[in-house]
Every structure is written in structure tokens, then in C-alpha cells.
Amino acid sequence: MSYDEMYSYLEARVDALKTNRTGDERQTVDEVFDKQTLMTLYDMMVGGVIDSVRFPISTGKEGNVFYATDGDGDPVALKIFRTSTATFKHIGKYIEGDPRFKGLTGNRRKMIYAWTNKEFRNLQRYYDAGIPVPEPVSYGKNCLVMEFIGDETGPAPQLKDVILDDPTDTYDEVISFIIDGWQDAHLVHGDMSEYNILMMDGEPILIDCGQAMTADHFNSKELLIRDINNVNRFFRNRGADVINADIIMKEALEGKKDDDEDDDDEDDEYDDDDEYDGEDDVTDDDEVNTV
Ligand SMILES: Nc1ncnc2c1ncn2[C@@H]1O[C@H](COP(=O)(O)OP(=O)(O)OP(=O)(O)O)[C@@H](O)[C@H]1O
Ligand SMILES: [Mg+2]
């Protein structure tokens, strides 16, 4: 199939392309839809992962999140990372010195694909551990498909924009994401804030998990304390009954974990969760996937 044929196929299904019908105008389409990205979306559509891409929910420096529909016409969220230097720089500060990204550093596109993959994996880990995050659906290259958090009226609001009935109650819930995240998912989110928590039916849901690190990463305890301080700061201002950061830290590190398995040996169970396997995915995929 030619590029033009693919483009016409997509034009009918991606709202952002509809107004840009002719040659030159195509260039003016939001640059998140570069040629590679369009091909990825095409693959996802042919593969039945998504059926249409409707309106942007969020447009940021590093990427956009769209309201999209799946094969049944049900809503899903589609996050597209921009393959730009801005994204590259943002990612760089998180993965500098991380051995899992060795060999990929320097290759901008591959790093961004690996990052997308990492967010997918992190979501899967949180989800499997029972922490409320959007259920990951699929990913390919720089595109990530996940459960849509919201309803017919639109996406759920960010925590920062919500008036809380019982701030302490929500606070306790969010602190449990930190503690259970560490203990059960072996992850530290690393960017936990009122921006990356959505409020759905009065309950917090954690999003934006690309930068989350495994608990054994050299920097993980610093990230943990930073997450705790961020959450405490926000909820203190909202009048919640805030717990001392040291106590939370202690509970995360030493708390309830009296059960079972070796903490270092959890990677294998995540080997077969890739529903969407783009043909030229990141080559050293597995190395990165264990995040
Ligand atoms: N699964 C989802 N369901 C509904 N809305 C979502 C979902 N994921 C993200 N969003 C919306 O998109 C916004 C941006 O998402 P996210 O925080 O994951 O991206 P980001 O990398 O922080 O982007 P930016 O740099 O633009 O802030 C969120 O604040 C939220 O409003
Ligand atoms: Mg965010």
C-alpha cells in the first residue's frame, strides 16, 4: 500500500487529519503525527487495537493524549510521544546512567520507543499489583493505548482541580499507592503529584508512569522521598491529616512485607504481555522491558 493510500485510510479515522486534505497542508498537521507515527497508528487500526482517534485530551511538550476508540467503539486513551529533541532531553535526565538503556542512548527514536515501552510495562506492573492505574491495552513505537479514565462528559479531572470531600481519606489512598507501589509493584513513581493523579468517582487514579523506576534502582529511595514530600505538601495545603514523611518512608521500606518471594526475581512474569508487536520495535527490547 502506498503512503497516499494509507493516509486516506487514516484521514477517515483520525480527526486531526481531516481538515488537512492536500499535499502541503499535511505538513501543518500537529507534528505529533509524523510519518512513522501515522504508520504505527495504521498498524494499530489494522490490528484492531484502535478504530479512530478523536480529540486531544491533553497537548504537551513531550506528547499528546487523545480520546480514541477501540474495535468495539469503546473509549481508550492514546498517548503519543513526540519524537522530538524536547522529549529526548526530558527522558535523558531519567535514564542517564541506567544500564538498561545502554546502547540505545544517542538514538533518539529508539530511546523514545523504549520509553513508551517502559511506561506500558510500568502500568502493567502497577495494574497487576492492584494499584489503580489505567489498564494498559497495547503499545507500538511511540504510541501507547490504555484504559480511558473518564466518562461521556470527558476525561476525569486532575487532583489539583478537584474539591475533595474528605482530603484525609484521599490522602491515605494516595499514600497507599506509594507504599503498595514500592512493596507490591516494586516501583517508585518518581513524578507523583496533583497533576498525575486523576479523580474518578471520588477515587484517585495514578497516571503518567513512564519515569517510574524499579525499587532496586540506585536512585529509587531519593525518588520515593520526593514523591512522599510532594504528596504531603499538596495535601497539607488541602487540610488533610498528613503523616510524617519519615514514618511513611519507613513503612514503605520495612512495612507489611512479611510474605514470600525474592524481591529481585519478578521480571520473568512480564515477558509475554505485549499484545501489540510492532515489527521494528526497539531491538534490545527485553533489556529495557524489564523496567
Ligand atoms: N488514561 C487516561 N484517561 C484519561 N485522561 C488521561 C489518561 N492519561 C492521561 N490523561 C490526560 O492527559 C494528561 C497528560 O497525561 P500524562 O500526565 O500521562 O502525560 P505527560 O507526559 O505528563 O504529558 P505533559 O507533559 O503534556 O503533561 C493528563 O493530565 C490527563 O488529563
Ligand atoms: Mg503528567
Side-chain angles (χ1 to χ4, degrees):
M1 136 156 342
S2 73
Y3 182 69
D4 279 347
E5 284 169 322
M6 186 192 76
Y7 196 92
S8 321
Y9 177 95
L10 288 170
E11 232 176 0
R13 291 170 178 80
V14 179
D15 286 1
L17 304 182
K18 282 182 180 158
T19 50
N20 296 271
R21 307 199 66 83
T22 55
D24 279 355
E25 283 174 350
R26 287 181 191 175
Q27 309 297 321
T28 68
V29 172
D30 184 326
E31 82 277 27
V32 80
F33 294 110
D34 61 15
K35 198 168 169 177
Q36 282 281 349
T37 303
L38 289 177
M39 279 160 59
T40 306
L41 293 179
Y42 178 79
D43 285 347
M44 284 185 158
M45 284 176 180
V46 170
V49 175
I50 51 172
D51 183 58
S52 73
V53 182
R54 307 263 82 112
F55 54 89
I57 299 169
S58 155
T59 56
K61 269 209 311 279
E62 284 110 32
N64 294 353
V65 178
F66 293 89
Y67 179 100
T69 58
D70 68 11
D72 299 324
D74 292 326
V76 286
L78 167 70
K79 187 170 181 176
I80 304 179
F81 292 90
R82 236 177 269 285
T83 53
S84 64
T85 33
T87 318
F88 190 57
K89 279 183 191 149
H90 172 77
I91 291 172
K93 73 174 185 257
Y94 285 98
I95 63 184
E96 217 174 350
D98 186 330
R100 291 165 303 194
F101 284 86
K102 232 176 98 197
L104 284 177
T105 43
N107 185 327
R108 191 173 80 201
R109 221 170 248 285
K110 281 193 173 177
M111 279 210 356
I112 290 159
Y113 296 168
W115 185 260
T116 311
N117 177 301
K118 183 169 175 275
E119 175 151 15
F120 182 89
R121 293 281 170 152
N122 287 338
L123 284 173
Q124 191 72 58
R125 249 180 207 240
Y126 275 128
Y127 190 81
D128 289 346
I131 292 157
V133 293
E135 181 176 6
V137 174
S138 189
Y139 73 94
K141 301 216 171 72
N142 56 325
C143 301
L144 170 66
V145 181
M146 62 189 140
E147 180 186 355
F148 173 72
I149 307 298
D151 58 24
E152 318 76 51
T153 67
Q158 293 171 319
L159 173 61
K160 73 177 173 71
D161 295 324
V162 164
I163 295 165
L164 299 169
D165 290 339
D166 185 345
T168 303
D169 202 49
T170 308
Y171 170 71
D172 289 344
E173 193 69 31
V174 171
I175 289 300
S176 82
F177 297 173
I178 297 180
I179 295 175
D180 297 347
W182 183 274
Q183 293 192 349
D184 301 337
H186 306 281
L187 286 175
V188 52
H189 185 275
D191 195 15
M192 206 177 276
S193 74
E194 59 276 23
Y195 292 85
N196 287 331
I197 293 169
L198 302 184
M199 291 301 288
M200 180 73 191
D201 301 327
E203 296 294 327
I205 296 179
L206 185 60
I207 61 163
D208 203 2
C209 299
Q211 71 292 315
M213 294 284 185
T214 46
D216 58 8
H217 189 267
F218 70 91
N219 209 18
S220 62
K221 291 200 181 76
E222 260 171 60
L223 294 173
L224 186 65
I225 191 82
R226 203 174 70 185
D227 280 353
I228 295 169
N229 287 337
N230 273 341
V231 169
N232 275 3
R233 175 196 39 77
F234 174 78
F235 279 97
R236 198 176 290 119
N237 288 333
R238 292 294 179 99
D241 195 359
V242 164
I243 305 164
N244 181 289
D246 292 338
I247 294 173
I248 301 168
M249 191 73 181
K250 199 160 185 286
E251 198 172 322
L253 297 180
E254 301 164 18
K256 63 172 196 199
K257 196 90 186 174
D258 42 16
D259 47 344
D260 64 66
E261 343 87 312
D262 180 2
D263 289 0
D264 297 330
D265 194 25
E266 73 268 355
D267 291 332
D268 289 348
E269 52 189 295
Y270 298 97
D271 275 356
D272 55 4
D273 61 3
D274 301 344
E275 289 168 39
Y276 179 80
D277 250 327
E279 302 234 329
D280 34 301
D281 253 333
V282 186
T283 37
D284 336 32
D285 224 30
D286 279 338
E287 213 185 336
V288 182
N289 284 353
T290 56
V291 173

